[in-house]
């Protein structure tokens, strides 16, 4: 593999459309973007012609169960780990891993190890410390120390609210957690984001509105997710976004995928935009490899499935093809907006000189063709060419 790579003739969406240009990659970084840049004289350089292709920033998936999740139906319902090629198949080049309902048999330490392995295999990875319940499990014994001292830990999550699997925490509990996330983020220069799992509970976002009503902790400290799981929750989340908060759609939660009460994510994005929610407040993540349990009205688990990362790309396609959201807007929902919410921008989520060379490349019908992460090609002509160690 040469140190330099020249991507020629790509129609670049940075996310703004830069037209047809060449990109020179040096190592893991973008060194030049221009219609005339050429390979450095005297240096080995790999050239890839992307004539007729659309090139966007690699997608950022902010909510992934990297080591699996679930277990609500007993040990046999614990879901498996993700592999590298499953991630890149969705155009994703940056993941944020989380635990979930199970903070007992799964650990933040093993999540960190898995994230580190994906980083070595070729993509970029971060994690949240904690799990559904409070007080949260950590690596160092302190949320603050985890965020400040461990590079890959950029926040807390997924913390459950309005869910029968939560620790039924009080407003005060959530408020104190938010304070710890806030100061840890400030001290470390990270987002210190609280990735907040919203369940089916009748309280919805009530506690979130309550703990931010005095505007002391900014609403942007929180990333409430799964907001499209029901019309009732989605209506509330639109109010949250109108007041300045982020809303994170879950691409795997859809009427066609085991969630009959939910709003299809691409349609939810359309509804939010029509309601006047600023595009910059909308993000989408997959919930990949989380379990998707179904409970009856008595709280008994009556079925389960596994969330798919592929849904992220499918929903972006549906935003463009079915909901008439233009490509420039649609890709921001899984690139720029996420990078800004997680304070990874401009290193991630945009195409500019000096940022990481993470790209998803599509044909004219927005089918994924190639993926580059940190300057290295991981998928070619629709197929993975780099695999995880045990794939
Ligand atoms: Zn969740």
């Amino acid at each position: 593999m040469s140190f330099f790579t020249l991507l020629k003739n790509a129609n670049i969406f940075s996310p703004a459309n830069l037209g047809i240009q060449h990109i020179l990659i040096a190592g893991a970084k973008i060194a030049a973007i221009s219609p005339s840049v050429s390979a450095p004289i005297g240096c080995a350089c790999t050239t890839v012609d992307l004539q007729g292709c659309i090139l966007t920033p690699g997608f950022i998936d902010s909510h992934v169960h990297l080591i699996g999740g679930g277990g609500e139906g007993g040990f046999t319902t614990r879901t498996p780990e993700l592999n590298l090629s499953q991630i890149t198949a969705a155009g994703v080049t940056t993941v944020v891993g989380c635990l979930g309902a199970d903070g007992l048999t799964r650990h933040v330490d093993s999540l960190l190890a898995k994230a580190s392995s994906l980083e070595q295999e070729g993509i970029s990875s971060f994690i949240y410390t904690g799990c559904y319940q409070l007080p949260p499990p950590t690596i160092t014994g302190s949320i603050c120390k985890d965020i400040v001292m461990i590079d890959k830990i950029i926040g807390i999550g997924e913390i459950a609210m309005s869910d029968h699997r939560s620790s039924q925490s009080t407003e005060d509990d959530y408020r104190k957690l938010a304070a710890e996330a806030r100061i840890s983020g400030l001290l470390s220069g990270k987002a210190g984001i609280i990735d907040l799992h919203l369940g089916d509970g009748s309280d919805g976002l009530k506690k979130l509105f309550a703990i931010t009503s005095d505007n002391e902790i900014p609403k942007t400290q929180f990333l409430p997710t799964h907001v499209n799981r029901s019309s009732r929750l989605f209506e509330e989340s639109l109010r949250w976004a109108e007041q300045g908060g982020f809303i994170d759609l879950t691409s795997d939660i859809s009427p066609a995928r085991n969630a009959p009460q939910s709003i299809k994510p691409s349609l939810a994005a359309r509804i939010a935009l029509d309601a006047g929610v600023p595009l910059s407040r909308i993000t989408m993540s997959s919930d990949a490899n989380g379990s998707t349990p179904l409970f009856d009205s008595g709280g008994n688990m009556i079925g389960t499935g596994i969330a798919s990362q592929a849904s992220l790309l499918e929903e972006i396609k549906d935003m463009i093809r079915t909901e008439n959201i233009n490509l420039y807007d649609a890709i921001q929902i899984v690139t720029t907006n996420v990078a800004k919410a997680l304070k990874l921008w401009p290193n991630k989520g945009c195409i500019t000189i000096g940022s990481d060379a993470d790209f998803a490349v599509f044909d004219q019908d927005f089918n994924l063709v190639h993926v580059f992460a940190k300057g290295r090609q991981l998928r070619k002509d629709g197929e993975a060419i780099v695999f995880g160690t045990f794939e």
Side-chain angles (χ1 to χ4, degrees), residues 63 65 98-101 132 158-160 163 165 195-198 225-226 229 250 253 287 291:
H63 189 109
H65 295 277
C98 56
L99 297 182
Y132 268 27
E158 61 176 311
I159 304 292
D163 193 294
R165 294 160 293 177
D195 188 73
L196 204 58
H197 159 110
L198 270 305
T225 189
H226 315 326
R229 75 160 69 245
T250 298
I253 295 182
D287 202 14
S291 71

Side-chain angles (χ1 to χ4, degrees), residues 3-329:
F3 183 73
F4 292 99
T5 303
L6 186 63
L7 306 181
K8 296 186 76 172
N9 304 311
N11 186 9
I12 301 171
F13 284 79
S14 72
N17 188 201
L18 305 181
I20 298 190
Q21 309 224 32
H22 310 327
I23 297 176
L24 179 66
I25 302 169
K29 296 281 183 183
I30 300 173
I33 305 168
S34 136
S36 58
V37 65
S38 53
I41 295 164
C43 299
C45 181
T46 306
T47 299
V48 183
D49 192 352
L50 300 178
Q51 180 107 42
C53 291
I54 293 162
L55 182 146
T56 74
F59 293 176
I60 305 166
D61 193 342
S62 66
H63 189 109
V64 186
H65 295 277
L66 295 177
I67 58 170
E72 291 101 326
F75 298 131
T76 56
T77 61
R78 299 168 83 253
T79 64
E81 289 194 3
L82 257 99
N83 288 318
L84 181 73
S85 67
Q86 285 172 273
I87 296 170
T88 59
V92 172
T93 55
T94 302
V95 287
V96 187
C98 56
L99 297 182
D102 179 6
L104 286 169
T105 78
R106 297 182 194 272
H107 307 282
V108 186
D109 310 61
S110 32
L111 181 62
L112 178 63
K114 174 68 180 182
S116 301
S117 80
L118 288 167
E119 184 84 41
Q120 288 174 21
E121 287 172 351
I123 61 169
S124 299
S125 63
F126 301 92
I127 66 166
Y128 304 121
T129 188
C131 70
Y132 268 27
Q133 297 88 20
L134 299 180
T138 63
I139 291 180
T140 63
S142 145
I143 295 164
C144 295
K145 262 194 180 173
D146 273 17
I147 294 175
V148 175
M149 305 308 296
I150 300 175
D151 283 352
K152 283 200 178 298
I153 300 185
I154 58 170
I156 307 174
E158 61 176 311
I159 304 292
M161 183 180 271
S162 303
D163 193 294
H164 60 105
R165 294 160 293 177
S166 75
S167 45
Q168 303 300 330
S169 306
T170 64
E171 281 175 24
D172 251 8
D173 296 328
Y174 289 116
R175 201 188 310 264
K176 282 177 186 152
L177 185 78
E180 290 188 82
R182 174 80 183 154
I183 187 64
S184 309
L186 293 174
L187 291 175
S188 60
K190 299 176 186 173
I193 202 103
I194 300 160
D195 188 73
L196 204 58
H197 159 110
L198 270 305
D200 272 332
S202 57
D203 268 1
L205 289 170
K206 192 173 144 201
K207 289 194 177 93
L208 186 56
F209 277 115
I211 63 175
T212 53
S213 60
D214 59 5
N215 287 321
E216 193 168 309
I217 304 249
K219 287 191 169 61
T220 48
Q221 201 75 41
F222 299 88
L223 188 60
T225 189
H226 315 326
V227 297
N228 54 309
R229 75 160 69 245
S230 70
S231 307
R232 180 176 50 80
L233 185 63
F234 189 61
E235 290 293 321
E236 278 187 83
S237 74
L238 293 182
R239 256 198 311 130
W240 170 257
E242 282 157 10
Q243 293 179 22
F246 295 116
I247 51 171
D248 189 49
L249 307 168
T250 298
S251 60
D252 193 79
I253 295 182
S254 170
R257 299 187 199 98
N258 212 11
Q261 310 301 322
S262 67
I263 303 174
K264 183 171 163 54
S266 49
L267 174 62
R270 174 83 271 165
I271 294 170
L273 291 170
D274 288 349
V277 171
L279 176 73
S280 62
R281 295 289 174 221
I282 306 170
T283 64
M284 184 167 69
S285 59
S286 69
D287 202 14
N289 280 34
S291 71
T292 53
L294 266 182
F295 296 95
D296 67 14
S297 56
N300 305 300
M301 203 190 87
I302 52 172
T304 193
I306 182 163
S308 120
Q309 193 144 35
S311 61
L312 196 74
L313 179 53
E314 287 165 21
E315 291 300 327
I316 291 294
K317 283 184 189 172
D318 287 348
M319 282 182 204
I320 296 166
R321 293 172 182 170
T322 311
E323 302 301 336
N324 293 318
I325 297 174
N326 68 53
L327 194 151
Y328 163 66
D329 287 341

